[in-house]
Amino acid sequence: MRVTANALKRLLDCERRLWRTEHARAHAAERTEHDDMLSDRSRALEESIAAAIPDLAGPVQGSGLAFEQAAEETVRLLCETKRAVRRPLLLSADGLRTATPAFILRDGDALVIRDVRLAHRPEARRDNRVRVSFAGRLELVNGLGQVVEVDPESDQELERLSARTLELLGDSPEPDILLSHSHCQHCDHYGPCWDRAEAERRIEVMPAVTRARAEMLHDEGVRTVDELAARTPESFTRRELREAAGALLNEARAFASGAPVWLRDPALPRGRTPVWFDVESDAEGERADVPVYLWGLAVERSEPVFEPILSELTPEGDAQAWRRFVARALEVFRDHPDAVWVHWHHAEPMWIDRYVARLGAPPEFVERMRAPGTLLDLHQRLEKCVRLPLRSTSVKFVAPWLGFQWSNPDADAAWSTAQLHRARETTDAAERERLLAEVTRYNADDLWAMRTVWRWMEGHGGRAQRGADA
Ligand code: SF4
């Protein structure tokens, strides 16, 4: 049992995650293509940093040496040479703590620990600082290749974290933690944690139950959605819960009954032509050569036709795709002056604004797109009018609940970006076409998923308020 840098990272992320990684590893999700893509990018960044460091020894870890041998070789390189060392294996004197930062550099007689992270502000995260808090000067290289100096954690705090890590790696029970859905959905233990919580009907699976509210509700003797659904606002002793009762009780009633609780008419614009609209963008945002690599749209009709506008993966391809999108949007406005562009969340208007600023657009396009009522955020409208018995109101949860299935059930935004990067890297033209076709198919499914939700909401138009005025 050793306290590794990864164990500390997991501890700070979620104590239960650290426990499960040690005791329930077999139930963890497998690595995804997106994980592999991030590893590749991280390795490439580390390679580029290594190439600029003169007289670099190593890497020690991964050189074929056994664990103890690698630790001894690290000590030898540090004590008997003046060389910088790549992937040293550090081991504390008691053998309980170990780490392999990317580099140890020299600054006169002092050592500089330098680690590499893809994030643009890695120093803002405590786990990144803790992972390099060993000795000497501490540096992080961020995803932009900039070197940032970080303050070490105190020895006392590192002692405390190490002791807690050893407890969790030992025979302590599984922590009874469920973090927020947005945090957990990227965790490799998401399935077991959330499926169990849902089976136990725990209040923590409800989007309206934050961790602070969960603690207050536990204090009031409420642990399940059924117990919460049976409460009234006046029954809460805490003012915060009485104030949040509207959000909590309607959602609890949806969970308890398994049925939607309508709060108001969805008020979708009637008699107008929906244009289903969804973009696929690079996680690097505007720093990427091609921030939006796919503009997907489909004009509503009895059999709507998907119109993907896919960018060549070059800056010129980016500009061409934008121009094609603008031209097509203007055609749609001329053919359907009443068009309402339906999207999910705020990414689409944001990218339109950013591309107008980046590459420009005719005034008619800007005017039409920015006119009130042209763009409609279906997710926002859903949130306003109904409570659902779902752990998330992402379209990836709402549409399947209504019976819609994605052609590729594993596809999501991260998967799509991973396909794009593979397409960019391959020299095999057929493979590139295949990967890009997968990306467009995923985008088409996103549009049809949105259409499914719209039609369902439309079917509830005109309903009187049904939710409890809790
Ligand atoms: S799914 Fe959430 S609660 Fe479970 S281990 Fe992961 S982060 Fe922790």
Side-chain angles (χ1 to χ4, degrees):
M1 245 177 13
R2 288 197 176 94
V3 180
T4 63
N6 274 340
L8 287 172
K9 174 178 162 43
R10 291 195 185 98
L11 176 83
L12 292 172
D13 178 58
C14 170
E15 290 199 353
R16 187 176 186 183
R17 186 172 181 203
L18 174 61
W19 187 94
R20 292 191 61 84
T21 303
E22 180 67 14
H23 302 285
R25 192 189 300 261
H27 301 287
E30 289 178 4
R31 281 179 67 81
T32 64
E33 287 183 72
H34 186 248
D35 295 331
D36 292 340
M37 181 195 81
L38 291 178
S39 296
D40 289 348
R41 286 170 62 184
S42 185
R43 256 193 303 276
L45 178 61
E46 188 176 312
E47 285 296 341
S48 69
I49 306 293
I53 299 173
D55 193 26
L56 182 63
V60 179
Q61 192 206 29
S63 61
L65 293 174
F67 183 83
E68 276 78 11
Q69 288 173 324
E72 281 165 21
E73 174 62 2
T74 300
V75 172
R76 188 191 71 75
L77 286 165
L78 293 177
C79 296
E80 297 177 15
T81 78
K82 294 283 182 196
R83 302 180 70 189
V85 186
R86 182 171 180 191
R87 285 287 159 197
L89 197 153
L90 301 170
L91 184 62
S92 63
D94 60 7
L96 284 179
R97 279 172 288 181
T98 178
T100 54
F103 306 101
I104 295 183
L105 311 179
R106 311 285 187 153
D107 181 9
D109 288 336
L111 300 179
V112 180
I113 307 279
R114 179 179 288 182
D115 220 350
V116 177
R117 290 282 170 271
L118 284 176
H120 291 167
R121 292 195 59 238
E123 70 280 11
R125 285 187 49 162
R126 189 177 177 211
D127 60 332
N128 283 327
R129 296 196 304 271
V130 166
R131 289 170 74 164
V132 289
S133 286
F134 303 103
R137 206 169 80 213
L138 311 173
E139 293 178 350
L140 289 167
V141 180
N142 65 23
L144 303 171
Q146 299 157 336
V147 178
V148 190
E149 197 156 328
V150 296
D151 294 331
E153 290 281 332
S154 69
D155 287 350
Q156 197 183 14
E157 189 54 13
L158 283 177
E159 268 315 318
R160 190 187 70 75
L161 294 174
S162 297
R164 182 62 182 142
T165 299
L166 288 171
E167 258 174 41
L168 289 163
L169 295 178
D171 54 9
S172 78
E174 181 170 0
D176 185 29
I177 290 173
L178 199 69
L179 298 184
S180 70
H181 187 266
S182 57
H183 185 103
C184 290
Q185 65 183 331
H186 304 295
C187 173
D188 40 0
H189 297 279
Y190 169 70
C193 283
W194 277 74
D195 290 349
R196 192 193 306 171
E198 219 163 58
E200 292 170 354
R201 301 181 71 74
R202 286 174 59 162
I203 50 173
E204 289 91 335
V205 297
M206 291 172 40
V209 177
T210 59
R211 288 194 81 190
R213 284 177 182 172
E215 275 177 31
M216 287 187 263
L217 287 165
H218 290 167
D219 291 345
E220 304 240 2
V222 177
R223 294 203 159 259
T224 69
V225 294
D226 308 286
E227 288 165 352
L228 183 54
R231 298 293 290 259
T232 60
E234 303 74 38
S235 69
F236 295 125
T237 57
R238 298 287 293 259
R239 179 180 52 81
E240 294 92 330
L241 292 177
R242 286 198 299 276
E243 284 172 1
L248 288 169
L249 298 188
N250 284 323
E251 197 169 88
R253 286 164 195 160
F255 271 82
S257 63
V261 170
W262 288 92
L263 307 178
R264 55 181 64 86
D265 183 335
L268 297 178
R270 292 189 178 274
R272 293 180 62 180
T273 306
V275 180
W276 314 110
F277 177 36
D278 184 54
V279 303
E280 301 299 335
S281 60
D282 196 301
E284 290 278 294
E286 286 197 280
R287 292 186 185 90
D289 285 345
V290 182
V292 169
Y293 52 89
L294 175 57
W295 303 85
L297 67 141
V299 179
E300 175 61 9
R301 53 180 73 120
S302 56
E303 294 281 335
V305 177
F306 173 49
E307 303 178 46
I309 297 177
L310 191 58
S311 171
E312 283 295 319
L313 301 177
T314 60
E316 181 48 30
D318 181 38
Q320 279 174 3
W322 168 245
R323 285 196 291 271
R324 280 165 53 214
F325 170 70
V326 169
R328 179 62 190 124
L330 286 171
E331 273 176 18
V332 171
F333 282 128
R334 281 169 207 144
D335 295 346
H336 305 277
D338 62 344
V340 52
W341 292 63
V342 184
H343 57 96
W344 194 270
H345 274 313
H346 53 268
E348 284 70 23
M350 177 191 80
W351 280 117
I352 285 180
D353 281 348
R354 287 183 176 182
Y355 268 73
V356 167
R358 261 165 76 87
L359 300 170
E364 185 190 353
F365 172 88
V366 178
E367 216 172 276
R368 296 300 302 267
M369 273 297 176
R370 289 185 179 158
T374 297
L375 288 155
L376 186 147
D377 181 346
L378 191 58
H379 174 258
Q380 194 185 57
R381 191 62 65 93
L382 180 95
E383 290 265 357
K384 274 189 183 156
C385 71
V386 66
R387 294 290 166 263
L388 301 175
L390 297 174
R391 51 176 88 162
S392 162
T393 54
S394 152
V395 72
K396 298 293 184 308
F397 284 84
V398 180
W401 183 67
L402 297 171
F404 180 84
Q405 293 299 329
W406 269 258
S407 319
N408 177 351
D410 297 327
D412 60 14
W415 170 91
S416 172
T417 306
Q419 307 314 303
L420 179 83
H421 282 270
R422 284 176 60 199
R424 184 176 276 163
E425 277 152 22
T426 184
T427 51
D428 179 337
E431 174 67 357
R432 185 171 181 274
E433 285 309 306
R434 188 191 69 75
L435 290 165
L436 294 178
E438 294 230 12
V439 169
T440 51
R441 190 170 58 137
Y442 165 67
N443 184 260
D445 282 346
D446 278 355
L447 299 187
W448 309 146
M450 229 174 355
R451 185 174 187 247
T452 302
V453 179
W454 171 283
R455 290 176 136 199
W456 176 73
M457 287 168 69
E458 217 176 22
H460 289 82
R463 285 192 173 207
Q465 178 171 327
R466 292 205 170 169
D469 292 321

